PDB file of all heavy atoms in Angstrom:
ATOM      1  N   ALA A   1       0.828  -1.202   0.000  1.00 88.00           N
ATOM      2  CA  ALA A   1       0.000   0.000   0.000  1.00 88.00           C
ATOM      3  C   ALA A   1       0.864   1.255   0.000  1.00 88.00           C
ATOM      4  O   ALA A   1       0.571   2.232  -0.710  1.00 88.00           O
ATOM      5  CB  ALA A   1      -0.926   0.000   1.216  1.00 88.00           C
ATOM      6  N   TYR A   2       1.949   1.230   0.770  1.00 87.00           N
ATOM      7  CA  TYR A   2       2.830   2.389   0.835  1.00 87.00           C
ATOM      8  C   TYR A   2       3.513   2.633  -0.510  1.00 87.00           C
ATOM      9  O   TYR A   2       3.617   3.775  -0.957  1.00 87.00           O
ATOM     10  CB  TYR A   2       3.886   2.197   1.943  1.00 87.00           C
ATOM     11  CG  TYR A   2       4.718   3.426   2.172  1.00 87.00           C
ATOM     12  CD1 TYR A   2       4.257   4.442   2.997  1.00 87.00           C
ATOM     13  CD2 TYR A   2       5.960   3.580   1.565  1.00 87.00           C
ATOM     14  CE1 TYR A   2       5.002   5.584   3.205  1.00 87.00           C
ATOM     15  CE2 TYR A   2       6.708   4.720   1.770  1.00 87.00           C
ATOM     16  CZ  TYR A   2       6.227   5.715   2.585  1.00 87.00           C
ATOM     17  OH  TYR A   2       6.967   6.841   2.789  1.00 87.00           O
ATOM     18  N   ASN A   3       3.967   1.576  -1.165  1.00 86.00           N
ATOM     19  CA  ASN A   3       4.618   1.728  -2.462  1.00 86.00           C
ATOM     20  C   ASN A   3       3.649   2.240  -3.521  1.00 86.00           C
ATOM     21  O   ASN A   3       4.022   3.037  -4.378  1.00 86.00           O
ATOM     22  CB  ASN A   3       5.269   0.416  -2.904  1.00 86.00           C
ATOM     23  CG  ASN A   3       6.465   0.068  -2.061  1.00 86.00           C
ATOM     24  OD1 ASN A   3       7.074   0.923  -1.427  1.00 86.00           O
ATOM     25  ND2 ASN A   3       6.816  -1.202  -2.026  1.00 86.00           N
ATOM     26  N   ALA A   4       2.388   1.781  -3.470  1.00 90.00           N
ATOM     27  CA  ALA A   4       1.380   2.281  -4.408  1.00 90.00           C
ATOM     28  C   ALA A   4       1.145   3.772  -4.182  1.00 90.00           C
ATOM     29  O   ALA A   4       1.083   4.556  -5.143  1.00 90.00           O
ATOM     30  CB  ALA A   4       0.079   1.502  -4.241  1.00 90.00           C
ATOM     31  N   LEU A   5       1.043   4.170  -2.922  1.00 92.00           N
ATOM     32  CA  LEU A   5       0.871   5.581  -2.599  1.00 92.00           C
ATOM     33  C   LEU A   5       2.098   6.379  -3.027  1.00 92.00           C
ATOM     34  O   LEU A   5       1.977   7.489  -3.556  1.00 92.00           O
ATOM     35  CB  LEU A   5       0.603   5.761  -1.107  1.00 92.00           C
ATOM     36  CG  LEU A   5       0.421   7.199  -0.628  1.00 92.00           C
ATOM     37  CD1 LEU A   5      -0.816   7.819  -1.262  1.00 92.00           C
ATOM     38  CD2 LEU A   5       0.320   7.246   0.891  1.00 92.00           C
ATOM     39  N   ALA A   6       3.267   5.814  -2.827  1.00 91.00           N
ATOM     40  CA  ALA A   6       4.508   6.509  -3.213  1.00 91.00           C
ATOM     41  C   ALA A   6       4.558   6.748  -4.720  1.00 91.00           C
ATOM     42  O   ALA A   6       4.975   7.822  -5.160  1.00 91.00           O
ATOM     43  CB  ALA A   6       5.720   5.701  -2.759  1.00 91.00           C
ATOM     44  N   GLU A   7       4.130   5.768  -5.510  1.00 93.00           N
ATOM     45  CA  GLU A   7       4.104   5.954  -6.962  1.00 93.00           C
ATOM     46  C   GLU A   7       3.128   7.054  -7.354  1.00 93.00           C
ATOM     47  O   GLU A   7       3.427   7.892  -8.205  1.00 93.00           O
ATOM     48  CB  GLU A   7       3.720   4.647  -7.658  1.00 93.00           C
ATOM     49  CG  GLU A   7       4.844   3.651  -7.743  1.00 93.00           C
ATOM     50  CD  GLU A   7       4.452   2.416  -8.526  1.00 93.00           C
ATOM     51  OE1 GLU A   7       3.694   2.549  -9.511  1.00 93.00           O
ATOM     52  OE2 GLU A   7       4.905   1.328  -8.147  1.00 93.00           O
ATOM     53  N   GLU A   8       1.959   7.040  -6.727  1.00 94.00           N
ATOM     54  CA  GLU A   8       0.951   8.063  -7.009  1.00 94.00           C
ATOM     55  C   GLU A   8       1.478   9.453  -6.645  1.00 94.00           C
ATOM     56  O   GLU A   8       1.337  10.408  -7.417  1.00 94.00           O
ATOM     57  CB  GLU A   8      -0.315   7.745  -6.196  1.00 94.00           C
ATOM     58  CG  GLU A   8      -1.446   8.705  -6.387  1.00 94.00           C
ATOM     59  CD  GLU A   8      -2.623   8.363  -5.482  1.00 94.00           C
ATOM     60  OE1 GLU A   8      -2.779   7.189  -5.102  1.00 94.00           O
ATOM     61  OE2 GLU A   8      -3.386   9.293  -5.162  1.00 94.00           O
ATOM     62  N   MET A   9       2.105   9.550  -5.489  1.00 94.00           N
ATOM     63  CA  MET A   9       2.635  10.841  -5.044  1.00 94.00           C
ATOM     64  C   MET A   9       3.829  11.288  -5.892  1.00 94.00           C
ATOM     65  O   MET A   9       4.025  12.474  -6.114  1.00 94.00           O
ATOM     66  CB  MET A   9       3.023  10.780  -3.562  1.00 94.00           C
ATOM     67  CG  MET A   9       1.843  10.659  -2.637  1.00 94.00           C
ATOM     68  SD  MET A   9       0.760  12.094  -2.746  1.00 94.00           S
ATOM     69  CE  MET A   9      -0.827  11.313  -2.718  1.00 94.00           C
ATOM     70  N   LYS A  10       4.608  10.340  -6.389  1.00 94.00           N
ATOM     71  CA  LYS A  10       5.739  10.683  -7.253  1.00 94.00           C
ATOM     72  C   LYS A  10       5.236  11.269  -8.571  1.00 94.00           C
ATOM     73  O   LYS A  10       5.792  12.246  -9.075  1.00 94.00           O
ATOM     74  CB  LYS A  10       6.619   9.470  -7.530  1.00 94.00           C
ATOM     75  CG  LYS A  10       7.868   9.820  -8.330  1.00 94.00           C
ATOM     76  CD  LYS A  10       8.705   8.614  -8.643  1.00 94.00           C
ATOM     77  CE  LYS A  10       9.946   8.917  -9.415  1.00 94.00           C
ATOM     78  NZ  LYS A  10       9.892   9.949 -10.416  1.00 94.00           N
ATOM     79  N   ALA A  11       4.168  10.690  -9.112  1.00 94.00           N
ATOM     80  CA  ALA A  11       3.589  11.222 -10.346  1.00 94.00           C
ATOM     81  C   ALA A  11       3.072  12.645 -10.115  1.00 94.00           C
ATOM     82  O   ALA A  11       3.286  13.537 -10.949  1.00 94.00           O
ATOM     83  CB  ALA A  11       2.466  10.318 -10.837  1.00 94.00           C
ATOM     84  N   PHE A  12       2.427  12.863  -8.969  1.00 94.00           N
ATOM     85  CA  PHE A  12       1.936  14.201  -8.647  1.00 94.00           C
ATOM     86  C   PHE A  12       3.105  15.158  -8.416  1.00 94.00           C
ATOM     87  O   PHE A  12       3.072  16.305  -8.856  1.00 94.00           O
ATOM     88  CB  PHE A  12       1.033  14.141  -7.408  1.00 94.00           C
ATOM     89  CG  PHE A  12       0.310  15.418  -7.130  1.00 94.00           C
ATOM     90  CD1 PHE A  12      -0.820  15.752  -7.847  1.00 94.00           C
ATOM     91  CD2 PHE A  12       0.754  16.287  -6.150  1.00 94.00           C
ATOM     92  CE1 PHE A  12      -1.493  16.936  -7.600  1.00 94.00           C
ATOM     93  CE2 PHE A  12       0.097  17.469  -5.884  1.00 94.00           C
ATOM     94  CZ  PHE A  12      -1.039  17.801  -6.621  1.00 94.00           C
ATOM     95  N   ASP A  13       4.144  14.675  -7.754  1.00 93.00           N
ATOM     96  CA  ASP A  13       5.329  15.489  -7.504  1.00 93.00           C
ATOM     97  C   ASP A  13       5.998  15.897  -8.811  1.00 93.00           C
ATOM     98  O   ASP A  13       6.494  17.023  -8.932  1.00 93.00           O
ATOM     99  CB  ASP A  13       6.313  14.720  -6.614  1.00 93.00           C
ATOM    100  CG  ASP A  13       7.463  15.579  -6.132  1.00 93.00           C
ATOM    101  OD1 ASP A  13       7.199  16.691  -5.617  1.00 93.00           O
ATOM    102  OD2 ASP A  13       8.627  15.150  -6.269  1.00 93.00           O
ATOM    103  N   ASP A  14       6.012  15.012  -9.789  1.00 93.00           N
ATOM    104  CA  ASP A  14       6.575  15.347 -11.095  1.00 93.00           C
ATOM    105  C   ASP A  14       5.806  16.496 -11.740  1.00 93.00           C
ATOM    106  O   ASP A  14       6.398  17.384 -12.356  1.00 93.00           O
ATOM    107  CB  ASP A  14       6.577  14.124 -12.019  1.00 93.00           C
ATOM    108  CG  ASP A  14       7.581  13.068 -11.592  1.00 93.00           C
ATOM    109  OD1 ASP A  14       8.505  13.393 -10.798  1.00 93.00           O
ATOM    110  OD2 ASP A  14       7.443  11.908 -12.038  1.00 93.00           O
ATOM    111  N   LYS A  15       4.477  16.475 -11.590  1.00 91.00           N
ATOM    112  CA  LYS A  15       3.655  17.571 -12.132  1.00 91.00           C
ATOM    113  C   LYS A  15       3.970  18.886 -11.421  1.00 91.00           C
ATOM    114  O   LYS A  15       4.067  19.935 -12.060  1.00 91.00           O
ATOM    115  CB  LYS A  15       2.177  17.237 -11.989  1.00 91.00           C
ATOM    116  CG  LYS A  15       1.707  16.107 -12.865  1.00 91.00           C
ATOM    117  CD  LYS A  15       0.244  15.797 -12.605  1.00 91.00           C
ATOM    118  CE  LYS A  15      -0.214  14.577 -13.387  1.00 91.00           C
ATOM    119  NZ  LYS A  15      -1.607  14.214 -13.071  1.00 91.00           N
ATOM    120  N   VAL A  16       4.115  18.823 -10.112  1.00 90.00           N
ATOM    121  CA  VAL A  16       4.423  20.030  -9.334  1.00 90.00           C
ATOM    122  C   VAL A  16       5.793  20.577  -9.747  1.00 90.00           C
ATOM    123  O   VAL A  16       5.956  21.781  -9.965  1.00 90.00           O
ATOM    124  CB  VAL A  16       4.379  19.741  -7.821  1.00 90.00           C
ATOM    125  CG1 VAL A  16       4.929  20.907  -7.020  1.00 90.00           C
ATOM    126  CG2 VAL A  16       2.962  19.412  -7.385  1.00 90.00           C
ATOM    127  N   LYS A  17       6.779  19.688  -9.876  1.00 91.00           N
ATOM    128  CA  LYS A  17       8.122  20.134 -10.274  1.00 91.00           C
ATOM    129  C   LYS A  17       8.127  20.709 -11.689  1.00 91.00           C
ATOM    130  O   LYS A  17       8.845  21.667 -11.963  1.00 91.00           O
ATOM    131  CB  LYS A  17       9.113  18.977 -10.162  1.00 91.00           C
ATOM    132  CG  LYS A  17       9.461  18.649  -8.731  1.00 91.00           C
ATOM    133  CD  LYS A  17      10.451  17.521  -8.638  1.00 91.00           C
ATOM    134  CE  LYS A  17      10.765  17.235  -7.176  1.00 91.00           C
ATOM    135  NZ  LYS A  17      11.651  16.105  -7.010  1.00 91.00           N
ATOM    136  N   ALA A  18       7.330  20.131 -12.576  1.00 91.00           N
ATOM    137  CA  ALA A  18       7.249  20.657 -13.945  1.00 91.00           C
ATOM    138  C   ALA A  18       6.658  22.068 -13.928  1.00 91.00           C
ATOM    139  O   ALA A  18       7.148  22.955 -14.644  1.00 91.00           O
ATOM    140  CB  ALA A  18       6.411  19.737 -14.817  1.00 91.00           C
ATOM    141  N   ALA A  19       5.651  22.262 -13.097  1.00 88.00           N
ATOM    142  CA  ALA A  19       5.054  23.597 -12.988  1.00 88.00           C
ATOM    143  C   ALA A  19       6.045  24.588 -12.379  1.00 88.00           C
ATOM    144  O   ALA A  19       6.132  25.734 -12.825  1.00 88.00           O
ATOM    145  CB  ALA A  19       3.784  23.531 -12.154  1.00 88.00           C
ATOM    146  N   GLU A  20       6.799  24.145 -11.393  1.00 88.00           N
ATOM    147  CA  GLU A  20       7.802  25.026 -10.777  1.00 88.00           C
ATOM    148  C   GLU A  20       8.920  25.355 -11.759  1.00 88.00           C
ATOM    149  O   GLU A  20       9.438  26.467 -11.771  1.00 88.00           O
ATOM    150  CB  GLU A  20       8.361  24.379  -9.515  1.00 88.00           C
ATOM    151  CG  GLU A  20       7.358  24.337  -8.379  1.00 88.00           C
ATOM    152  CD  GLU A  20       7.833  23.523  -7.192  1.00 88.00           C
ATOM    153  OE1 GLU A  20       8.858  22.810  -7.305  1.00 88.00           O
ATOM    154  OE2 GLU A  20       7.163  23.588  -6.141  1.00 88.00           O
ATOM    155  N   ALA A  21       9.291  24.384 -12.590  1.00 89.00           N
ATOM    156  CA  ALA A  21      10.327  24.633 -13.598  1.00 89.00           C
ATOM    157  C   ALA A  21       9.820  25.605 -14.663  1.00 89.00           C
ATOM    158  O   ALA A  21      10.581  26.417 -15.190  1.00 89.00           O
ATOM    159  CB  ALA A  21      10.761  23.325 -14.244  1.00 89.00           C
ATOM    160  N   LEU A  22       8.531  25.533 -14.972  1.00 87.00           N
ATOM    161  CA  LEU A  22       7.930  26.429 -15.952  1.00 87.00           C
ATOM    162  C   LEU A  22       7.950  27.873 -15.458  1.00 87.00           C
ATOM    163  O   LEU A  22       7.980  28.808 -16.269  1.00 87.00           O
ATOM    164  CB  LEU A  22       6.495  25.989 -16.250  1.00 87.00           C
ATOM    165  CG  LEU A  22       5.726  26.757 -17.303  1.00 87.00           C
ATOM    166  CD1 LEU A  22       6.435  26.637 -18.651  1.00 87.00           C
ATOM    167  CD2 LEU A  22       4.308  26.246 -17.398  1.00 87.00           C
ATOM    168  N   ALA A  23       7.979  28.041 -14.148  1.00 85.00           N
ATOM    169  CA  ALA A  23       7.990  29.388 -13.567  1.00 85.00           C
ATOM    170  C   ALA A  23       9.205  30.195 -14.003  1.00 85.00           C
ATOM    171  O   ALA A  23       9.172  31.417 -14.016  1.00 85.00           O
ATOM    172  CB  ALA A  23       7.922  29.305 -12.054  1.00 85.00           C
ATOM    173  N   LYS A  24      10.273  29.523 -14.391  1.00 86.00           N
ATOM    174  CA  LYS A  24      11.481  30.233 -14.827  1.00 86.00           C
ATOM    175  C   LYS A  24      11.283  30.904 -16.182  1.00 86.00           C
ATOM    176  O   LYS A  24      11.932  31.899 -16.478  1.00 86.00           O
ATOM    177  CB  LYS A  24      12.660  29.270 -14.886  1.00 86.00           C
ATOM    178  CG  LYS A  24      13.069  28.750 -13.532  1.00 86.00           C
ATOM    179  CD  LYS A  24      14.207  27.770 -13.632  1.00 86.00           C
ATOM    180  CE  LYS A  24      14.550  27.242 -12.242  1.00 86.00           C
ATOM    181  NZ  LYS A  24      15.574  26.211 -12.282  1.00 86.00           N
ATOM    182  N   THR A  25      10.385  30.343 -16.992  1.00 88.00           N
ATOM    183  CA  THR A  25      10.180  30.907 -18.328  1.00 88.00           C
ATOM    184  C   THR A  25       8.837  31.622 -18.457  1.00 88.00           C
ATOM    185  O   THR A  25       8.759  32.667 -19.092  1.00 88.00           O
ATOM    186  CB  THR A  25      10.254  29.798 -19.404  1.00 88.00           C
ATOM    187  OG1 THR A  25       9.283  28.799 -19.102  1.00 88.00           O
ATOM    188  CG2 THR A  25      11.640  29.186 -19.446  1.00 88.00           C
ATOM    189  N   ASP A  26       7.777  31.066 -17.892  1.00 88.00           N
ATOM    190  CA  ASP A  26       6.444  31.667 -18.002  1.00 88.00           C
ATOM    191  C   ASP A  26       5.739  31.587 -16.652  1.00 88.00           C
ATOM    192  O   ASP A  26       5.102  30.584 -16.322  1.00 88.00           O
ATOM    193  CB  ASP A  26       5.635  30.951 -19.081  1.00 88.00           C
ATOM    194  CG  ASP A  26       4.355  31.693 -19.429  1.00 88.00           C
ATOM    195  OD1 ASP A  26       4.005  32.660 -18.717  1.00 88.00           O
ATOM    196  OD2 ASP A  26       3.706  31.302 -20.421  1.00 88.00           O
ATOM    197  N   TYR A  27       5.862  32.649 -15.908  1.00 86.00           N
ATOM    198  CA  TYR A  27       5.344  32.683 -14.548  1.00 86.00           C
ATOM    199  C   TYR A  27       3.825  32.499 -14.509  1.00 86.00           C
ATOM    200  O   TYR A  27       3.296  31.828 -13.633  1.00 86.00           O
ATOM    201  CB  TYR A  27       5.737  34.004 -13.879  1.00 86.00           C
ATOM    202  CG  TYR A  27       5.334  34.079 -12.438  1.00 86.00           C
ATOM    203  CD1 TYR A  27       6.047  33.427 -11.451  1.00 86.00           C
ATOM    204  CD2 TYR A  27       4.197  34.783 -12.058  1.00 86.00           C
ATOM    205  CE1 TYR A  27       5.659  33.475 -10.127  1.00 86.00           C
ATOM    206  CE2 TYR A  27       3.791  34.837 -10.743  1.00 86.00           C
ATOM    207  CZ  TYR A  27       4.530  34.180  -9.781  1.00 86.00           C
ATOM    208  OH  TYR A  27       4.128  34.228  -8.479  1.00 86.00           O
ATOM    209  N   LEU A  28       3.100  33.091 -15.441  1.00 90.00           N
ATOM    210  CA  LEU A  28       1.641  33.008 -15.422  1.00 90.00           C
ATOM    211  C   LEU A  28       1.139  31.591 -15.689  1.00 90.00           C
ATOM    212  O   LEU A  28       0.228  31.108 -15.011  1.00 90.00           O
ATOM    213  CB  LEU A  28       1.045  33.982 -16.455  1.00 90.00           C
ATOM    214  CG  LEU A  28       1.252  35.465 -16.130  1.00 90.00           C
ATOM    215  CD1 LEU A  28       0.712  36.332 -17.247  1.00 90.00           C
ATOM    216  CD2 LEU A  28       0.596  35.814 -14.810  1.00 90.00           C
TER     217      LEU A  28
END
């Protein structure tokens, strides 16, 4: 159960990091 949750959270974390990386070029 923990590993399944970790995979789900990693996918969400990747989205968050992609959005944060986008802030360097297009803040809006």
Side-chain angles (χ1 to χ4, degrees):
Y2 187 84
N3 290 338
L5 179 64
E7 282 184 36
E8 180 184 334
M9 291 297 138
K10 185 182 181 323
F12 189 79
D13 189 50
D14 290 342
K15 291 177 185 176
V16 170
K17 286 181 180 176
E20 289 172 349
L22 183 61
K24 294 178 182 176
T25 57
D26 191 351
Y27 184 77
L28 293 176

